[in-house]
Amino acid sequence: MIITSYRMLSWVSGPLLHYFLKRRAEKGKEDEHRLTERLGIPSKAKPSGPLVWVHAASVGESLSMISLIERLSSQRPNLNILITSGTVSSSKILQNRLPQRVIHQFVPLDRVKWVRKFLDHWQPDLVLWVESEFWPALLSEIRTRSIPAFLVNARISVRSMRGWRRVPWVIRSLLATFELCMAQTERDADRLTGLGAKNVVCPGNLKFASKPLPANPTELKSLKAIMGKRPRWVAYSTHDGEEETIGRAHQLLKEKYPNLITIIVPRHPNRGNIISTSLSTRGLSVAQRSSGQKICKQTDVLLGDTIGELGLFFRSTNIAFVGGSLVPHGGQNPIEPAQLGCAILHGTHMHNFLAIEGELKAAGASVLVETPQDIAKEVDHLFSNSGILQERIAAAQTLAHSKSNILDAVFDYIDPALSRIIPAQPVITSQNARA
C-alpha cells in the first residue's frame, strides 16, 4: 500500500521535482548540461549487445565499484557497462577512472515516469545495486521487469535498520528485488536477514579491493617541493563543524611547530569559500587550492577544495584524520589513506565503517581523538616518535592490502548470472597458442 501510494505521489510531483532540480543546478549540486538525465532522458545511445547496469549513489560507492568494473571489462570484453550515480563530484571523478567504453549517466529521480524512460532506453540485462540506496520506484520497476539484480557491498546502518523496521513490509518488498545480497560485514548480513532478505552472503567490503587513489606525478612533485621539510598532516573529507576543530588543533600544534602546514580537504568542495573565510577570521593563513592560491612561508592551512586530488594529499603526508567522525555523520573511508601510507586518527562517530575501525584499532593502526587537544596531542606524538609513526603506517598498509581476495569472491557470486547473458571468453596463454 505504501509503495503504491509513493508511486502515485511521484506521478503528480513532476512540477515540484523540476523546480527542485533547477534549484540544485543553481547551487552547483547538479550538472546543468546533463539535467535531462535526471528526468530519465539519456544523453547517450545504448550500445548493441548485453548491458550490465551498476548503480552507485555517490563518490565512495562509485570508487568501490571501479575494481569490479575493471574485472567485468577484462573477463567480458564484449559486455557493455553502464554506471549511474547521483552527484556531480562522483561524475567528475569517474570521468578519469573508468575503463574505456564504460558509460556514466546520472540516475533518474525516483519518479515512475522517469524511471520507465530510463529502463526503456537502456534495457539492462543485469543490475548491480551498491550499498543501501533503496529507491522504491527504481527497485519496483526492476522487479516488475524481471531484471536479474544483485545487492553489492551492502551496508545497513543502525539508523536505517530502525527506520525500515517501522515499515517492514516495504523493505521486504524492495529486498525481494535481489537474487543475492552481498554484505560488507557479518553485522550487515544479520541486519539484511532481519529485514527480510532471503539470500544473504558476506564476502567482505569491496573498498578493500579498490586501487590506491591516483595522483598527478607532476603535481605531487611540485607540492612536496613547495612544502619541503615542513611538518604536515591532512584532515580529509571533513564536514561542517569539523574544520573549526581542526583549525584549533593546528593553532595548538603551531606553538611547538611554527612552520606546520595542515591540509584540510572538505567532503563537499563547494564549501571552500565558507571554510576559508571561517579559518581566516580565526587568524589562520589559508591557501585555497581551487583559487590557485600558492603556499608561502606564512601559510597555515592548505585548503584542498578540489575534486579528485585526495591521492595527492595522502601522498604528501603520513598522518590522516578521518572526516565525518567528529560529527554524527558516521565517518569517511579510512582505507584510502591506509593504502597510501598514513597513520589514522578518527573521532567517535565511525558507524559507517565500524568493522574497519575495529580492525584498524586491533592492528594498532589508528587512534581515537575527540577534541582539538586530543588531535594536537596525537599528531605531536607521531611527529616526535618516528618509530611509532612507522609502526602505525605499516599496520595500516598491511591491513589495507590483506583482503584482495574479496574482489574474487564477489565476482564468483555474480559470474553465473553474467554467463547467462554473455559467456566468458577463454584466456589465451602462450602454451595454448603454441598448441
Side-chain angles (χ1 to χ4, degrees):
M1 180 64 181
I2 289 179
I3 292 181
T4 302
S5 300
Y6 176 91
R7 289 163 66 93
M8 291 177 64
L9 180 62
S10 78
W11 275 106
V12 299
S13 62
L16 181 61
L17 291 175
H18 276 284
Y19 176 76
F20 170 73
L21 285 172
K22 181 181 178 181
R23 292 289 295 160
R24 281 178 56 85
E26 290 171 353
K27 296 177 182 179
K29 295 182 178 181
E30 298 284 347
D31 186 335
E32 62 180 352
H33 302 295
R34 298 173 59 185
L35 210 56
T36 55
E37 292 176 25
R38 299 289 260 156
L39 311 180
I41 302 171
S43 61
K44 295 185 178 180
K46 178 186 184 293
S48 60
L51 182 139
V52 169
W53 169 28
V54 180
H55 174 62
S58 190
V59 175
E61 296 90 340
S62 299
L63 290 177
S64 71
M65 288 298 105
I66 288 179
S67 292
L68 180 58
I69 288 172
E70 290 176 342
R71 177 70 65 87
L72 289 170
S73 297
S74 64
Q75 294 286 328
R76 303 291 199 287
N78 295 325
L79 181 67
N80 299 300
I81 301 173
L82 167 72
I83 181 169
T84 57
S85 62
T87 64
V88 173
S89 53
S90 61
S91 170
K92 290 181 178 178
I93 289 176
L94 288 172
Q95 281 178 0
N96 300 319
R97 300 201 61 188
L98 288 173
Q100 289 186 344
R101 296 181 62 247
V102 176
I103 299 169
H104 174 268
Q105 296 278 276
F106 287 107
V107 69
L109 292 188
D110 202 46
R111 185 180 183 224
V112 173
K113 180 179 180 181
W114 299 342
V115 169
R116 288 177 176 172
K117 283 184 180 179
F118 174 88
L119 290 174
D120 287 345
H121 176 81
W122 293 106
Q123 299 181 13
D125 298 281
L126 178 68
V127 176
L128 304 179
W129 203 264
V130 184
E131 294 208 6
S132 58
E133 193 175 57
F134 301 135
W135 290 108
L138 278 159
L139 293 180
S140 296
E141 284 298 315
I142 290 169
R143 186 180 181 189
T144 298
R145 297 176 185 226
S146 300
I147 304 170
F150 291 77
L151 184 58
V152 180
N153 221 38
R155 176 175 63 86
I156 302 292
S157 67
V158 173
R159 182 179 178 182
S160 294
M161 183 78 173
R162 290 170 180 166
W164 285 121
R165 277 179 169 168
R166 297 189 183 100
V167 284
W169 57 93
V170 174
I171 189 61
R172 279 199 303 270
S173 174
L174 297 179
L175 289 173
T177 304
F178 305 110
E179 291 186 13
L180 180 69
C181 298
M182 288 175 266
Q184 293 184 11
T185 69
E186 292 294 346
R187 183 182 288 108
D188 293 309
D190 291 341
R191 288 172 181 167
L192 283 164
T193 301
L195 290 174
K198 297 299 184 183
N199 194 9
V200 182
V201 294
C202 182
N205 192 335
L206 263 175
K207 288 184 170 71
F208 276 113
S210 299
K211 291 182 179 179
L213 295 176
N216 182 298
T218 302
E219 291 290 338
L220 179 60
K221 183 178 179 180
S222 174
L223 184 58
K224 284 186 173 181
I226 292 171
M227 293 193 291
K229 294 183 178 180
R230 294 176 65 175
R232 62 258 192 178
W233 63 297
V234 60
Y236 71 98
S237 295
T238 56
H239 289 249
D240 187 19
E242 293 185 311
E243 292 87 11
E244 294 179 9
T245 301
I246 300 302
R248 179 58 183 148
H250 173 93
Q251 290 171 320
L252 293 171
L253 283 161
K254 194 176 178 180
E255 297 173 6
K256 184 174 180 179
Y257 305 96
N259 63 339
L260 173 72
I261 292 181
T262 296
I263 305 170
I264 298 179
V265 186
R267 176 67 172 172
H268 302 107
N270 60 348
R271 294 180 52 239
N273 291 338
I274 295 173
I275 297 169
S276 179
T277 300
S278 175
L279 295 174
S280 296
T281 59
R282 286 165 174 76
L284 295 171
S285 175
V286 180
Q288 194 171 348
R289 190 164 175 85
S290 66
S291 300
Q293 296 170 354
K294 303 297 183 183
I295 296 172
C296 63
K297 186 177 181 180
Q298 291 76 33
T299 299
D300 293 302
V301 174
L302 170 60
L303 183 58
D305 56 339
T306 52
I307 292 176
E309 290 196 309
L310 261 183
L312 173 72
F313 301 127
F314 289 149
R315 287 175 169 87
S316 301
T317 182
N318 48 25
I319 301 172
F321 171 82
V322 181
S325 65
L326 292 177
V327 294
H329 174 78
Q332 300 298 154
N333 184 1
I335 300 171
E336 293 168 341
Q339 288 177 321
L340 291 172
C342 291
I344 310 298
L345 313 179
H346 61 77
T348 56
H349 301 283
M350 286 291 289
H351 51 264
N352 290 340
F353 295 92
L354 272 180
I356 296 173
E357 177 203 4
E359 292 184 84
L360 286 168
K361 180 180 178 181
S366 67
V367 172
L368 172 67
V369 290
E370 299 183 68
T371 66
Q373 291 77 15
D374 291 342
I375 297 170
K377 180 180 178 181
E378 190 56 38
V379 173
D380 176 29
H381 181 60
L382 294 174
F383 280 162
S384 305
N385 297 274
S386 60
I388 293 174
L389 174 61
Q390 292 305 317
E391 287 177 4
R392 291 190 188 171
I393 289 171
Q397 286 186 309
T398 298
L399 176 61
H401 296 146
S402 66
K403 302 190 178 186
S404 59
N405 62 328
I406 291 173
L407 178 60
D408 296 329
V410 170
F411 190 84
D412 286 345
Y413 281 121
I414 65 174
D415 191 51
L418 285 170
S419 295
R420 291 198 294 267
I421 62 175
I422 182 169
Q425 292 190 354
V427 177
I428 304 298
T429 65
S430 58
Q431 186 174 6
N432 294 145
R434 287 194 299 268

